[in-house]
């Protein structure tokens, strides 16, 4: 009672009072704000497990990070910087390139005006060692083709299914039609790995996830990682907060906070 904690839950966090099992709570380290705590777990656990557990990231390797200015993207960039001499390619709209360069992306690529696969090949003809794929559809095939021998593709989302404010059934059908498919024999011939990751299905893996959180807290305490917060919105502005992401304006996390309780406001007035 009274501990400040970060929580993991699949859903139901957009409310003032939240009830989660104690096993899904983790102590906040000294000096961390509640906004940072809200921004840490999902994105950094995902980025850490993709890069290190599946990707086996090592010094002198190269990584392609899609949606590099988003939550998982910014976490992945910071984690890549904890390994010596990692070359980061990052896709994002042109307005975000300066921020990406400052954060450590060697080669920002505007996916709206350029073919990112061609741009990667210009700089690294053999391709890259690791691709983080939150896109799905035909982009997963492009990612697989961009891998060097012994390269690893980790798919962890299907953002291509979401094309706007309303469901576009044609776009969804096209994405499913173009969904990447490969068999074991093809993998043999290519000398490449394909992995799938979904933190939401790690509900029972308390030791595994807890071990990752301990490493992340340690990195935070050393100043090696720090959640990047784009903006903070009260619950009654949730539509504006969603629009911030939908219009791809955010660099880092969009955070929702309940308004200050009325009792506290009254105390301050007194």
């Amino acid at each position: 009672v009274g501990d400040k904690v970060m929580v993991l839950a699949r859903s139901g966090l957009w409310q003032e009072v939240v009830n989660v099992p104690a096993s899904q709570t983790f102590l906040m380290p000294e000096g961390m704000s509640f906004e940072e705590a809200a921004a840490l777990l999902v994105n950094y656990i995902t980025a850490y497990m993709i890069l290190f557990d599946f990707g086996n990231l090592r010094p002198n390797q190269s990584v392609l990070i899609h949606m590099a200015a988003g939550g998982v993207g910014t976490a992945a960039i910071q984690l890549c910087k904890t390994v010596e001499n990692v070359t980061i390619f990052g896709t994002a709209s042109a307005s975000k390139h300066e921020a990406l360069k400052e954060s450590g992306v060697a080669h920002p690529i505007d996916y709206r005006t350029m073919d990112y696969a061609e741009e990667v090949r210009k700089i690294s003809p053999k391709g890259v060692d690791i691709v983080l794929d939150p896109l799905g559809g035909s982009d997963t095939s492009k990612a697989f083709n961009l891998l060097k021998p012994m390269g690893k593709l980790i798919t962890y989302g299907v953002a291509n299914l979401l094309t706007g404010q309303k469901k576009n059934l044609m776009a969804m059908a096209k994405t499913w039609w173009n969904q990447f498919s490969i068999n074991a024999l093809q993998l043999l011939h290519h000398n490449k790995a394909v992995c799938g990751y979904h933190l939401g299905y790690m509900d029972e893996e308390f030791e595994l996830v807890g071990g990752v959180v301990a490493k992340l807290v340690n990195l935070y305490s050393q100043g090696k990682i720090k959640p990047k917060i784009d903006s903070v919105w009260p619950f009654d502005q949730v539509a504006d907060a969603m629009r911030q992401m939908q219009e791809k304006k955010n660099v880092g996390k969009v955070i929702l906070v309940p308004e200050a309780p009325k009792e506290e406001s009254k105390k301050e007035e007194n």
Side-chain angles (χ1 to χ4, degrees):
V1 174
D3 283 342
K4 293 180 177 181
V5 295
M6 307 178 272
V7 302
L8 267 183
R10 266 206 213 182
S11 60
L13 294 182
W14 289 11
Q15 43 197 25
E16 285 91 346
V17 180
V18 174
N19 188 7
V20 297
S23 57
Q24 286 169 228
T25 64
F26 305 90
L27 286 172
M28 284 166 55
E30 282 291 314
M32 177 180 275
S33 69
F34 283 116
E35 287 79 9
E36 284 183 326
L40 186 89
L41 287 187
V42 170
N43 294 139
Y44 282 81
I45 292 171
T46 299
Y48 187 96
M49 295 185 87
I50 286 173
L51 284 170
F52 297 112
D53 294 319
F54 271 146
N56 191 25
L57 179 63
R58 298 192 300 281
N60 306 313
Q61 289 191 321
S62 52
V63 181
L64 171 59
I65 301 172
H66 285 295
M67 296 162 67
V72 175
T74 52
I77 291 164
Q78 290 180 13
L79 289 167
C80 282
K81 298 296 287 176
T82 67
V83 179
E84 199 179 346
N85 200 31
V86 170
T87 303
I88 306 170
F89 295 84
T91 65
S93 48
S95 61
K96 300 176 183 179
H97 285 194
E98 213 47 54
L100 289 182
K101 279 182 181 172
E102 285 171 19
S103 67
V105 176
H107 307 290
I109 300 167
D110 184 358
Y111 64 95
R112 293 177 177 181
T113 59
M114 298 172 172
D115 181 325
Y116 63 83
E118 281 180 22
E119 294 304 308
V120 170
R121 292 255 183 230
K122 280 179 194 171
I123 297 155
S124 178
K126 278 192 166 182
V128 294
D129 296 291
I130 301 170
V131 179
L132 277 58
D133 170 37
L135 302 175
S138 58
D139 285 293
T140 309
S141 302
K142 282 174 83 167
F144 186 77
N145 292 329
L146 266 178
L147 291 177
K148 291 178 180 178
M150 299 304 290
K152 298 166 191 77
L153 159 63
I154 303 99
T155 184
Y156 67 97
V158 198
N160 283 335
L161 285 179
L162 306 170
T163 55
Q165 292 188 11
K166 293 180 180 173
K167 283 183 180 173
N168 181 333
L169 294 177
M170 279 299 291
M172 291 172 83
K174 186 179 172 189
T175 299
W176 280 117
W177 180 256
N178 289 324
Q179 199 59 23
F180 178 69
S181 179
I182 193 163
N183 64 44
L185 269 180
Q186 287 171 300
L187 284 176
L188 251 179
H189 299 153
H190 283 288
N191 290 303
K192 297 176 181 180
V194 179
C195 313
Y197 180 84
H198 194 311
L199 179 57
Y201 293 98
M202 293 264 192
D203 287 357
E204 303 301 312
E205 302 301 326
F206 307 125
E207 281 181 36
L208 184 60
V209 173
V212 173
V213 174
K215 288 169 187 165
L216 292 171
V217 166
N218 189 32
L219 287 170
Y220 176 88
S221 299
Q222 291 175 42
K224 291 184 177 176
I225 60 172
K226 186 175 177 65
K228 187 168 182 60
I229 294 164
D230 172 79
S231 49
V232 179
W233 309 75
F235 280 179
D236 59 8
Q237 289 179 29
V238 63
D240 296 324
M242 292 297 287
R243 205 170 292 115
Q244 178 79 354
M245 290 195 295
Q246 228 158 30
E247 293 173 1
K248 298 187 174 164
K249 290 178 179 172
N250 61 304
V251 176
K253 287 296 283 180
V254 175
I255 301 286
L256 289 177
V257 294
E259 283 187 296
K262 284 174 185 169
E263 288 78 11
E264 284 185 24
S265 305
K266 283 175 188 169
K267 279 178 196 169
E268 284 168 18
E269 285 167 21
N270 297 335

